[in-house]
């Protein structure tokens, strides 16, 4: 657990220092989220291995709460620093970029873990994190659509082989919003609950409240910066699904029913430091097979598809679709049994 805490909390402290103190702290945060993480994955030979069967991690839940609350501290402090701080333009740019990367690579995996927790408070915190990034519907789409229909045409967050990231992001953003709304509405009807209990009302209320608060306190500049940070984070959230599910499909039996979700239906990464940074989200196959497993206990096995580079590096490759296809299409076809 110490490695998870160090990897995740260090960049959050760096950007907080950058927002309050200025100087080189913002640059340090950006270097950490880019060069240092990639360098640690590549240069330091370390195998995190799999946790012992039956091992328990009482500190894991506490770390998620600390990071979840820390997300809102970073959001508030950095926004104020970017609007009212005296750092030069390049310093503010570095601070904004580092913060956006933290939201996409730490806040998102933390919120993802929280919405899978058994406690109502933890699930609410996860939904609030996503709502603060103006993508609250992801909590519903992930649980009600993605985990059920992953690897099929019914899941808008599973990218088809050959589809570039930019087209995928547009399809996934619109499709997941609609699919999540439909799934939550159907659940309300089956349970006989009134519409005012619809989660989308919470997502919308939180988003509108935050937009109004930011506008009222920090003005138009603060609102524009907030929207830019949210867009940066949202693109990384869609990038995460893109990288971890590209081209992998579940088969159907003679009656057209989807095969059970298995280890072959998600891409994984064995790279140790970026995995710690993202609270083991790159161990993605095991999460889909056993969604209730605590993040420190997620496992890697030989029969799981493996990415050639860490997830953040693969995200950078996906920004250049021809290069991405050159690296990934052959691998995806081999796992699909086409070559």
């Amino acid at each position: 657990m110490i490695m998870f805490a160090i990897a995740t909390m260090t960049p959050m402290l760096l950007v907080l220092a950058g927002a309050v103190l200025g100087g080189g702290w913002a640059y340090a945060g950006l270097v950490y989220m880019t060069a240092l993480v990639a360098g640690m994955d590549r240069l330091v030979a370390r195998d995190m291995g799999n946790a012992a069967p039956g091992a328990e991690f009482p500190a894991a839940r506490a770390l998620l709460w600390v990071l979840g609350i820390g997300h809102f501290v970073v959001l508030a402090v950095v926004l104020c620093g970017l609007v009212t701080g005296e750092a030069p333009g390049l310093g503010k740019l570095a601070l904004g970029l580092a913060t956006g990367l933290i939201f996409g690579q730490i806040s998102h995996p933390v919120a993802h873990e929280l919405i899978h927790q058994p406690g109502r408070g933890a699930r609410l915190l996860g939904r609030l994190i996503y709502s603060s990034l103006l993508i609250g519907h992801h909590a519903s789409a992930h649980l009600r659509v993605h985990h059920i229909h992953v690897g099929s045409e019914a899941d808008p967050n599973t990218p088809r082989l050959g589809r570039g990231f930019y087209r995928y992001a547009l399809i996934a953003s619109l499709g997941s919003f609609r699919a999540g709304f439909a799934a939550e509405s159907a659940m309300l009807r089956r349970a006989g609950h009134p519409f005012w209990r619809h989660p989308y009302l919470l997502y919308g209320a939180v988003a509108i409240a935050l937009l109004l608060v930011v506008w009222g306190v920090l003005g138009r500049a603060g609102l524009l910066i907030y929207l830019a940070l949210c867009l940066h984070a949202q693109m990384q959230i869609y990038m995460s699904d893109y990288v971890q599910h590209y081209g992998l499909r579940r088969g159907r039996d003679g009656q057209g029913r989807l095969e059970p979700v298995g280890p072959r239906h998600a891409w994984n990464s064995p790279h140790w430091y970026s995995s710690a940074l993202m609270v083991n989200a790159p161990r993605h196959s095991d999460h889909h097979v056993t969604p209730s497993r605590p993040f420190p206990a997620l496992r890697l096995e030989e029969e799981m598809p493996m990415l050639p580079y860490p997830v953040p590096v693969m995200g950078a490759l996906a920004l250049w679709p021809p290069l991405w296809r050159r690296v990934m299409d052959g691998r995806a076809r081999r796992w699909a049994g086409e070559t």
Side-chain angles (χ1 to χ4, degrees):
M1 286 306 304
I2 294 177
M3 180 56 64
F4 290 110
I6 291 173
T8 53
M9 295 181 69
T10 299
M12 298 178 82
L13 293 174
L14 288 175
V15 298
L16 286 174
V20 175
L21 303 175
W25 294 106
Y27 295 105
L30 183 59
V31 169
Y32 182 101
M33 291 299 298
T34 53
L36 189 142
V37 173
M40 294 289 278
D41 276 336
R42 182 173 179 83
L43 299 177
V44 180
R46 179 186 175 93
D47 182 6
M48 290 183 70
N50 293 326
E56 297 184 359
F57 303 90
R61 187 177 177 86
L63 179 60
L64 291 176
W65 273 92
V66 169
L67 295 173
I69 295 172
H71 161 81
F72 291 97
V73 175
V74 170
L75 177 61
V77 173
V78 168
L79 270 177
C80 290
L82 288 173
V83 177
T84 64
E86 298 181 358
L90 285 178
K92 288 187 175 181
L93 178 61
L95 179 62
L97 289 174
T99 303
L101 291 171
I102 287 171
F103 289 165
Q105 298 179 32
I106 299 177
S107 296
H108 162 44
V110 167
H112 167 261
E113 287 297 315
L114 286 167
I115 64 175
H116 279 282
Q117 295 289 306
R120 294 179 63 181
R123 295 198 301 271
L124 176 61
L125 179 58
R127 290 183 171 191
L128 292 176
I129 292 172
Y130 281 129
S131 298
S132 74
L133 299 174
L134 307 184
I135 192 172
H137 69 272
H138 183 79
S140 291
H142 180 81
L143 293 173
R144 312 297 184 208
V145 182
H146 181 62
H147 265 272
I148 298 170
H149 302 291
V150 64
S152 74
E153 298 79 2
D155 176 31
N157 287 76
T158 296
R160 297 179 181 176
L161 181 68
R163 176 167 289 168
F165 170 70
Y166 302 104
R167 185 181 176 202
Y168 161 81
L170 179 61
I171 293 172
S173 60
L174 299 175
S176 63
F177 185 93
R178 291 195 297 261
F181 183 86
E184 293 284 13
S185 299
M187 288 192 65
L188 283 178
R189 287 194 298 270
R190 287 195 298 269
H193 294 317
F195 186 78
W196 60 263
R197 295 185 60 176
H198 202 296
Y200 272 54
L201 295 178
L202 171 68
Y203 309 149
V206 172
I208 292 171
L210 286 174
L211 289 168
L212 291 175
V213 168
V214 171
W215 188 16
V217 175
L218 299 174
R220 184 172 61 180
L223 183 61
L224 292 175
I225 291 172
Y226 176 46
L227 291 173
L229 288 174
C230 289
L231 180 61
H232 189 189
Q234 290 170 20
M235 288 301 99
Q236 291 176 85
I237 291 170
Y238 293 122
M239 181 69 77
S240 178
D241 278 337
Y242 182 81
V243 166
Q244 293 177 124
H245 291 286
Y246 178 78
L248 299 178
R249 290 280 167 167
R250 289 157 66 190
R252 295 183 180 273
D253 61 18
Q255 285 73 44
R257 293 172 298 193
L258 286 171
E259 66 176 313
V261 177
R264 298 169 58 90
H265 299 133
W267 292 100
N268 303 270
S269 168
H271 303 90
W272 71 287
Y273 203 78
S274 56
S275 291
L277 179 80
M278 303 175 72
V279 291
N280 259 354
R283 298 188 172 205
H284 208 59
S285 286
D286 194 34
H287 168 69
H288 271 277
V289 173
T290 316
S292 61
R293 197 189 302 277
F295 72 86
L298 291 172
R299 307 179 67 80
L300 288 178
E301 307 293 348
E302 290 185 0
E303 68 272 18
M304 296 175 177
M306 293 292 169
L307 295 166
Y309 306 109
V311 170
V313 175
M314 295 303 296
L317 289 181
L319 296 175
W320 301 91
L323 179 59
W324 168 265
R325 294 195 61 187
R326 191 179 311 148
V327 172
M328 288 301 296
D329 280 17
R331 289 178 167 86
R333 288 194 178 97
R334 284 193 291 274
W335 279 99
E338 296 179 10
T339 58

